[in-house]
Coordinates of all heavy atoms in Angstrom, one line a residue:
S116 N -0.2 135.8 -104.3 CA -1.0 134.8 -103.7 C -0.2 133.9 -102.7 O 0.7 133.2 -103.1 CB -1.6 133.9 -104.8 OG -2.3 132.9 -104.3
W117 N -0.6 133.9 -101.5 CA 0.0 133.1 -100.4 C -0.2 131.7 -100.7 O 0.7 130.9 -100.4 CB -0.7 133.4 -99.1 CG 0.2 133.6 -98.0 CD1 0.6 134.8 -97.4 CD2 1.0 132.6 -97.3 NE1 1.5 134.5 -96.4 CE2 1.7 133.2 -96.3 CE3 1.1 131.2 -97.4 CZ2 2.6 132.5 -95.4 CZ3 1.9 130.5 -96.6 CH2 2.6 131.2 -95.6
Q118 N -1.3 131.3 -101.4 CA -1.5 129.9 -101.6 C -0.5 129.3 -102.6 O -0.4 128.1 -102.6 CB -2.9 129.6 -102.2 CG -4.1 129.9 -101.2 CD -4.3 131.4 -101.0 OE1 -4.0 132.2 -101.8 NE2 -5.0 131.7 -99.9
E119 N 0.1 130.1 -103.4 CA 1.0 129.6 -104.4 C 2.5 129.6 -104.1 O 3.3 128.8 -104.6 CB 0.8 130.4 -105.7 CG -0.6 130.2 -106.2 CD -0.9 131.2 -107.4 OE1 0.1 131.8 -107.9 OE2 -2.1 131.4 -107.7
T120 N 2.9 130.5 -103.3 CA 4.4 130.7 -103.1 C 4.8 130.9 -101.6 O 3.9 131.2 -100.8 CB 4.9 132.0 -103.9 OG1 4.2 133.1 -103.4 CG2 4.6 131.8 -105.3
L121 N 6.1 130.8 -101.4 CA 6.7 131.1 -100.1 C 6.6 132.6 -99.8 O 6.9 133.4 -100.7 CB 8.1 130.6 -100.2 CG 8.8 130.3 -98.9 CD1 8.1 129.3 -98.0 CD2 10.2 129.9 -99.1
P122 N 6.3 133.0 -98.6 CA 6.3 134.4 -98.3 C 7.7 135.0 -98.6 O 8.7 134.4 -98.3 CB 6.0 134.5 -96.8 CG 5.4 133.2 -96.5 CD 6.0 132.2 -97.4
E123 N 7.7 136.3 -99.0 CA 8.9 137.0 -99.4 C 10.0 137.0 -98.3 O 11.1 136.8 -98.6 CB 8.6 138.4 -99.7 CG 8.0 138.6 -101.1 CD 7.7 140.1 -101.3 OE1 8.2 141.0 -100.6 OE2 6.8 140.4 -102.2
Y124 N 9.5 137.1 -97.1 CA 10.5 137.3 -96.0 C 11.3 136.0 -95.7 O 12.4 136.0 -95.1 CB 9.9 137.8 -94.7 CG 8.9 136.8 -94.0 CD1 9.4 135.9 -93.0 CD2 7.6 136.8 -94.3 CE1 8.5 135.1 -92.4 CE2 6.7 136.0 -93.7 CZ 7.2 135.1 -92.7 OH 6.3 134.3 -92.1
L125 N 10.8 134.9 -96.3 CA 11.6 133.6 -96.1 C 12.6 133.3 -97.2 O 13.4 132.4 -97.1 CB 10.6 132.4 -96.0 CG 9.8 132.4 -94.7 CD1 8.8 131.2 -94.8 CD2 10.7 132.3 -93.5
L126 N 12.6 134.2 -98.2 CA 13.5 133.9 -99.4 C 14.9 134.3 -99.1 O 15.8 133.9 -99.9 CB 13.0 134.7 -100.6 CG 11.6 134.3 -101.1 CD1 11.2 135.2 -102.3 CD2 11.6 132.8 -101.5
E127 N 15.2 134.9 -98.0 CA 16.6 135.3 -97.7 C 17.3 134.1 -97.0 O 18.6 134.2 -96.8 CB 16.7 136.5 -96.8 CG 16.2 136.4 -95.4 CD 16.4 137.7 -94.6 OE1 17.5 137.9 -94.0 OE2 15.4 138.4 -94.5
W128 N 16.6 133.1 -96.6 CA 17.2 131.9 -95.9 C 17.1 130.6 -96.7 O 16.3 130.6 -97.6 CB 16.6 131.8 -94.6 CG 16.7 133.0 -93.7 CD1 17.9 133.5 -93.2 CD2 15.6 133.8 -93.2 NE1 17.6 134.6 -92.4 CE2 16.2 134.8 -92.4 CE3 14.3 133.7 -93.3 CZ2 15.5 135.7 -91.7 CZ3 13.5 134.6 -92.6 CH2 14.1 135.6 -91.8
P129 N 17.9 129.6 -96.4 CA 17.8 128.4 -97.1 C 16.4 127.8 -97.1 O 15.7 127.8 -96.0 CB 18.8 127.5 -96.4 CG 19.7 128.4 -95.7 CD 18.9 129.6 -95.4
R130 N 16.0 127.2 -98.2 CA 14.7 126.5 -98.3 C 14.9 125.1 -98.6 O 15.5 124.7 -99.7 CB 13.8 127.1 -99.5 CG 13.2 128.5 -99.1 CD 14.0 129.7 -99.6 NE 14.4 129.8 -101.0 CZ 15.3 130.5 -101.4 NH1 16.1 131.2 -100.6 NH2 15.6 130.6 -102.7
L131 N 14.6 124.2 -97.7 CA 14.8 122.8 -97.8 C 13.5 122.2 -98.4 O 12.4 122.5 -97.9 CB 15.1 122.1 -96.5 CG 16.2 122.8 -95.7 CD1 16.5 122.1 -94.4 CD2 17.5 123.0 -96.5
R132 N 13.5 121.3 -99.3 CA 12.3 120.8 -99.9 C 12.3 119.2 -100.0 O 11.3 118.7 -100.4 CB 12.1 121.4 -101.3 CG 11.8 122.9 -101.3 CD 11.3 123.4 -102.6 NE 10.7 124.7 -102.4 CZ 11.4 125.8 -102.4 NH1 12.7 125.8 -102.7 NH2 10.8 127.0 -102.2
S133 N 13.4 118.6 -99.7 CA 13.4 117.1 -99.8 C 14.4 116.6 -98.7 O 15.1 117.3 -98.0 CB 14.0 116.8 -101.2 OG 15.4 117.2 -101.3
D134 N 14.3 115.2 -98.7 CA 15.2 114.6 -97.7 C 16.7 114.9 -98.1 O 17.5 115.1 -97.2 CB 15.0 113.1 -97.8 CG 13.7 112.6 -97.1 OD1 13.1 113.4 -96.4 OD2 13.3 111.5 -97.3
S135 N 17.0 114.9 -99.3 CA 18.4 115.2 -99.7 C 18.8 116.7 -99.3 O 19.9 116.9 -98.9 CB 18.7 115.0 -101.2 OG 17.9 115.8 -102.0
D136 N 17.9 117.6 -99.4 CA 18.1 119.0 -98.9 C 18.4 119.0 -97.4 O 19.3 119.7 -96.9 CB 17.0 119.9 -99.2 CG 16.9 120.2 -100.7 OD1 17.7 119.8 -101.5 OD2 15.9 120.9 -101.1
I137 N 17.6 118.2 -96.7 CA 17.8 118.1 -95.2 C 19.2 117.5 -94.9 O 19.9 117.9 -94.0 CB 16.7 117.2 -94.5 CG1 15.4 117.9 -94.6 CG2 17.1 116.9 -93.1 CD1 14.2 117.1 -94.1
D138 N 19.6 116.5 -95.8 CA 20.9 115.9 -95.6 C 22.0 117.0 -95.8 O 23.0 117.0 -95.1 CB 21.1 114.7 -96.5 CG 20.1 113.6 -96.3 OD1 19.5 113.6 -95.2 OD2 19.9 112.8 -97.2
V139 N 21.9 117.8 -96.8 CA 22.9 118.9 -97.1 C 22.9 119.8 -95.9 O 24.0 120.2 -95.4 CB 22.5 119.7 -98.4 CG1 23.3 120.9 -98.5 CG2 22.7 118.8 -99.6
F140 N 21.8 120.2 -95.4 CA 21.7 121.1 -94.3 C 22.3 120.5 -93.1 O 23.1 121.1 -92.4 CB 20.2 121.4 -94.0 CG 19.9 122.1 -92.7 CD1 20.0 123.5 -92.7 CD2 19.6 121.5 -91.5 CE1 19.7 124.2 -91.5 CE2 19.4 122.2 -90.4 CZ 19.5 123.6 -90.4
A141 N 22.1 119.2 -92.8 CA 22.6 118.5 -91.6 C 24.1 118.4 -91.7 O 24.8 118.6 -90.7 CB 22.0 117.1 -91.5
R142 N 24.6 118.1 -92.9 CA 26.1 118.0 -93.0 C 26.8 119.3 -92.7 O 27.8 119.4 -92.0 CB 26.5 117.5 -94.4 CG 26.3 116.0 -94.6 CD 27.0 115.5 -95.9 NE 26.4 116.1 -97.1 CZ 25.3 115.6 -97.7 NH1 24.7 114.5 -97.2 NH2 24.8 116.2 -98.8
E143 N 26.2 120.4 -93.2 CA 26.8 121.7 -93.0 C 26.6 122.1 -91.5 O 27.4 122.8 -90.9 CB 26.1 122.8 -93.9 CG 26.8 124.1 -93.9 CD 28.3 124.1 -94.3 OE1 28.7 123.2 -95.0 OE2 29.0 125.0 -93.8
Y144 N 25.4 121.8 -91.0 CA 25.1 122.1 -89.6 C 26.2 121.4 -88.7 O 26.8 122.1 -87.8 CB 23.7 121.6 -89.2 CG 23.4 121.8 -87.7 CD1 22.9 123.1 -87.3 CD2 23.6 120.9 -86.8 CE1 22.6 123.3 -86.0 CE2 23.3 121.1 -85.5 CZ 22.8 122.3 -85.1 OH 22.5 122.6 -83.8
K145 N 26.5 120.2 -88.9 CA 27.5 119.5 -88.1 C 28.9 120.1 -88.3 O 29.6 120.2 -87.4 CB 27.5 118.0 -88.5 CG 26.3 117.2 -87.9 CD 26.5 115.8 -88.2 CE 25.7 115.0 -87.2 NZ 25.8 113.5 -87.4
R146 N 29.2 120.4 -89.6 CA 30.5 121.0 -89.9 C 30.7 122.3 -89.1 O 31.8 122.6 -88.7 CB 30.6 121.2 -91.4 CG 32.0 121.6 -91.8 CD 32.1 121.7 -93.3 NE 31.6 122.9 -93.9 CZ 32.2 124.1 -93.7 NH1 33.3 124.2 -93.0 NH2 31.7 125.2 -94.3
Q147 N 29.7 123.1 -89.0 CA 29.8 124.4 -88.4 C 29.3 124.5 -87.0 O 29.3 125.6 -86.4 CB 29.1 125.5 -89.3 CG 29.8 125.7 -90.6 CD 29.4 127.0 -91.2 OE1 28.8 127.9 -90.6 NE2 29.8 127.1 -92.5
S148 N 28.8 123.4 -86.4 CA 28.2 123.5 -85.1 C 29.1 124.1 -84.0 O 28.6 124.8 -83.1 CB 27.6 122.1 -84.7 OG 28.6 121.2 -84.5

């Protein structure tokens, strides 16, 4: 059911769900930019 879950093809990449997840992503992005 699409209504309930993330599509399978997106499960191979990071899934951000909160501001703190965005912060983790941003720190790593800056580190490796």
Side-chain angles (χ1 to χ4, degrees):
S116 175
W117 223 107
Q118 290 78 16
E119 298 171 12
T120 62
L121 199 60
E123 284 178 18
Y124 68 91
L125 291 177
L126 297 176
E127 70 179 275
W128 300 299
R130 284 94 56 201
L131 314 177
R132 293 197 166 87
S133 65
D134 288 347
S135 63
D136 288 356
I137 292 172
D138 297 342
V139 167
F140 173 87
R142 281 191 298 273
E143 188 61 26
Y144 179 84
K145 284 184 159 185
R146 191 176 78 72
Q147 291 197 14
S148 64

